[in-house]
Amino acid sequence: MSDPKKKTGNILSNVGPPSELPSFITANVAAPPAGAESVPPATPMVTVDDTTKREETDPFIPTTFSPAIPASKDTSQFTAEQAMAAAAGVRPAEPALPDQPVGRDFASMILNPEPVAAALSPITQGGSALFGWMKGAVSGSGILQKVAEKAKNSVDTIVTTLDPQMKEYINSGGDTEVIVASDKDDKVRPIREAFQTVFGKATIIGLAAQAVGIAAQPVGFAAGLKGAEHRINSIRAENPRVDDHLPVVAVENFVVELFPDQWFEAGAIVLFDYAKNILLKTVTQMTPIPLPVIAALQADTPEDYMLKDTGFATTVGSVMARNLNTSHTEWHRSYTSVSRSEMILTAAKTIATLYKHAVLDYELTVTSQVDSAVGAATGPSSTGGDGGDGTPQPAE
């Protein structure tokens, strides 16, 4: 039985000794210096037949390249026609030799004898496709205009979201200007927002005004409307900035007994445009008032109060704010979760929309009146006449 240790051994032990190096390698190898010991290689070198290994792993298919134009041909001076003829195997005709040798004086060469303006005229003309599209794009109804408007609206939305107070400055301007007969922010701000929402851009200015001849707390619809009208008349008479061409809006809060022993508080909003003869009225959302509060208002009004026929001497806001322990301008929110500004905003949007329609109707009426006046001034058409006996004759 053979020993298994004899079968195992160094794999390289079965490899034969290396062949001699080629002469061009051995000739360039320097001889070791004298006295230096020659160190034999640690392991014998193994030569592998590269050709055999390449055939086993990656077979190589030899290819040949045959150019259409021989390499001996100088194609640097070929034209496109000559190159195609050479590729087809046709011998081009020899060019005629010039009388004078060709020089390299580029300064004397004329690159484009046609004027530049005439050469570029198909591009720069307004009717061309490129510049015609650009002209239409930058026009008032073009694509770029719409993109700019959308970008502006997006920026305005971001600014007003970060700072809501910037909305009134961004949307101010335009052809609409309205005066508010009050300098209180809870009245001016919702009216401004309502008109800017309806008209897009509007300038809203609040000026202080008092309701003269009306009780401190008007009672009934008639008293509320009368108080708003007094505020409008007061601001138009006392403030020189308010002329007849500026519409004025006034808000007057009142209480009313709609049902037996059931009282409500609301605000009357009145808009008056003297120049266009437009008068609009509406009422805000109603807030129920407890009966003890009305009893307190009646008790605080003296018998000799001069304006007792129009209401109470004490406002409902002062009593509600004292009972709710809040500001007299915030008692609506504390009592009903709806602020006074929100109530005014909803009703003011109605007023603004109605005013916009009324202005359009007024402009149409004025236009029709002007057309009628022009037609009357020019007289009947002179296309016909009469024959002298009073009978009309048709036009020729």
Side-chain angles (χ1 to χ4, degrees), residues 198-222:
V198 174
F199 287 89
K201 284 186 174 295
T203 301
I204 312 299
I205 301 175
L207 301 175
Q210 298 296 330
V212 182
I214 300 296
Q217 180 58 69
V219 177
F221 286 97

Side-chain angles (χ1 to χ4, degrees), residues 9-301:
N10 192 353
I11 299 176
L12 300 178
S13 61
N14 298 327
V15 180
S19 60
E20 296 182 0
L21 297 176
S23 59
F24 65 87
I25 297 179
T26 56
N28 296 331
V29 177
E37 297 181 358
S38 61
V39 180
T43 58
M45 298 179 62
V46 180
T47 59
V48 181
D49 191 355
D50 190 33
T51 304
T52 306
K53 183 178 180 180
R54 184 181 302 168
E55 291 177 355
E56 294 176 357
T57 59
D58 187 12
F60 175 75
I61 301 175
T63 59
T64 59
F65 175 73
S66 58
I69 302 175
S72 59
K73 295 288 184 178
D74 185 9
T75 60
S76 60
Q77 302 295 330
F78 274 22
T79 62
E81 293 78 3
Q82 294 174 348
M84 293 177 63
V90 180
R91 181 184 180 92
E94 294 294 335
L97 296 177
D99 298 337
Q100 297 179 357
V102 179
R104 294 294 181 180
D105 189 6
F106 291 100
S108 61
M109 298 176 62
I110 301 176
L111 300 180
N112 187 7
E114 186 179 6
V116 177
L120 298 179
S121 59
I123 302 178
T124 57
Q125 285 178 356
S128 63
L130 175 62
F131 281 82
W133 177 87
M134 293 181 64
K135 182 179 180 181
V138 300
S139 62
S141 59
I143 299 175
L144 299 182
Q145 182 69 19
K146 295 180 180 179
V147 172
E149 290 179 359
K150 287 189 176 182
K152 180 182 180 301
N153 294 334
S154 300
V155 173
D156 292 346
T157 303
I158 295 174
V159 172
T160 54
T161 302
L162 298 176
D163 188 1
Q165 295 181 355
M166 287 296 295
K167 187 175 183 179
E168 59 183 79
Y169 298 102
I170 293 175
N171 295 331
S172 296
D175 299 331
T176 304
E177 185 174 357
V178 179
I179 303 298
V180 180
S182 176
D183 58 351
K184 303 297 188 295
D185 183 68
D186 59 344
K187 290 184 179 181
V188 178
R189 180 166 46 82
I191 294 176
R192 176 185 293 114
E193 182 177 351
F195 275 85
Q196 290 179 349
T197 301
V198 174
F199 287 89
K201 284 186 174 295
T203 301
I204 312 299
I205 301 175
L207 301 175
Q210 298 296 330
V212 182
I214 300 296
Q217 180 58 69
V219 177
F221 286 97
L225 294 174
K226 189 175 181 180
E229 293 173 359
H230 281 200
R231 291 180 183 272
I232 294 175
N233 295 332
S234 173
I235 199 172
R236 293 184 67 248
E238 298 176 0
N239 199 311
R241 296 176 56 187
V242 181
D243 56 13
D244 294 340
H245 294 83
L246 291 178
V248 182
V249 179
V251 180
E252 186 68 33
N253 287 79
F254 62 95
V255 293
V256 60
E257 186 180 8
L258 292 180
F259 310 103
D261 296 334
Q262 290 186 356
W263 290 72
F264 296 85
E265 189 265 355
I269 301 181
V270 180
L271 182 146
F272 180 60
D273 190 336
Y274 180 83
K276 299 179 179 63
N277 194 22
I278 299 175
L279 179 62
L280 302 173
K281 305 173 185 178
T282 189
V283 180
T284 65
Q285 172 184 328
M286 292 189 175
T287 303
I289 304 299
L291 190 58
V293 175
I294 299 299
L297 294 176
Q298 293 173 348
D300 292 342
T301 302

